[in-house]
Amino acid sequence: MKLFCLYNGIIKPEKLETLPKELFRKSIHWCTAFIPLLLKHFYWPIEILLILAVAGYTLSEILRLKGINVPLVSLITKTAARKRDEGKFVLGPVTLVLGIVIASLIFKSEYYTIGILSLAFGDGIASISGKMLGRIKIPFIYGKTVAGSLSCFFAIFICSFLISKNTASSIIIACSGMILEMLPLKDFDNLLIPIVLSFVAKLLIC
């Protein structure tokens, strides 16, 4: 507890209790950053593997809810699940993969890369920043924090700019991503962020 005093109260101790679980959850998001590279070299095999992964995970969750644990998969799900998901089908991994699959099927690589990287880093970093530094909450935005939203903006801006090299477009894409992340979408932000931001990128980037 004394260690927290060194941070002048920036990080709440009670938030740090849930931080390891949040880091574990978001590490799954961060791993999706490799998918655009894999799609570039093995497009259809990766698409098929992602769809099979969703089907396998869905079956695993149905079995878990019936009291039948699938080795490793059920353990990872229990470890990553939020309190709100207890006793329920954990939807996050499904929307995560479906968002990536739909975006990569509809849009060209430069656009879906922005969408997928925005999901990987924008949403992930926003959640961790909100947990660690989120003392100032945004009014009427369902508990979202200034730190989380700003972190989301800058993460998406950097990802977009690295791909597009266009500052104005990257700002608009980052604003769009930040607004999506602020909405009370629960696990459906995983679905919408890569699709919507891929679409915005397509509109803005020639």
Side-chain angles (χ1 to χ4, degrees):
M1 188 67 71
K2 291 181 180 180
L3 179 61
F4 300 134
C5 295
L6 296 176
Y7 293 92
N8 197 27
I10 292 176
I11 303 174
K12 292 183 178 180
E14 61 269 22
K15 288 189 175 183
L16 287 181
E17 292 177 6
T18 59
L19 186 58
K21 180 183 284 286
E22 195 67 18
L23 282 169
F24 181 78
R25 288 183 62 256
K26 294 309 175 182
S27 68
I28 298 172
H29 274 65
W30 296 331
C31 287
T32 63
F34 293 103
I35 291 179
L37 179 62
L38 294 172
L39 286 170
K40 183 177 180 180
H41 297 286
F42 313 101
Y43 183 83
W44 283 112
I46 296 300
E47 293 284 13
I48 292 169
L49 283 174
L50 289 172
I51 293 169
L52 289 175
V54 170
Y57 172 80
T58 300
L59 177 60
S60 170
E61 274 296 270
I62 292 171
L63 292 174
R64 183 179 68 84
L65 293 175
K66 292 180 179 293
I68 304 171
N69 287 326
V70 177
L72 187 60
V73 179
S74 295
L75 176 61
I76 292 173
T77 302
K78 287 180 180 179
T79 303
R82 291 185 172 119
K83 192 170 184 179
R84 74 184 186 205
D85 295 321
E86 290 179 2
K88 300 177 183 178
F89 187 104
V90 180
L91 192 60
V94 174
T95 55
L96 178 75
V97 175
L98 286 181
I100 291 170
V101 168
I102 294 170
S104 58
L105 286 173
I106 294 175
F107 301 102
K108 293 181 179 180
S109 62
E110 62 181 310
Y111 308 134
Y112 72 65
T113 297
I114 290 173
I116 294 172
L117 293 182
S118 296
L119 174 64
F121 296 112
D123 183 56
I125 291 174
S127 180
I128 299 302
S129 297
K131 284 280 184 186
M132 295 181 65
L133 306 172
R135 284 188 170 273
I136 303 174
K137 293 187 177 180
I138 304 172
F140 314 113
I141 308 292
Y142 307 94
K144 299 294 183 177
T145 65
V146 172
S149 295
L150 288 177
S151 298
C152 178
F153 173 87
F154 285 112
I156 294 176
F157 172 81
I158 291 169
C159 292
S160 178
F161 184 76
L162 289 174
I163 303 300
S164 69
K165 304 297 189 295
N166 187 310
T167 302
S169 297
S170 298
I171 290 173
I172 296 172
I173 293 167
C175 285
S176 303
M178 182 178 68
I179 291 169
L180 275 177
E181 195 276 332
M182 290 167 65
L183 296 176
L185 299 171
K186 296 185 178 180
D187 291 317
F188 287 97
D189 59 352
N190 292 338
L191 181 67
L192 291 177
I193 286 174
I195 297 172
V196 172
L197 296 193
S198 296
F199 177 70
V200 174
K202 177 179 171 60
L203 292 178
L204 296 174
I205 302 169
C206 297

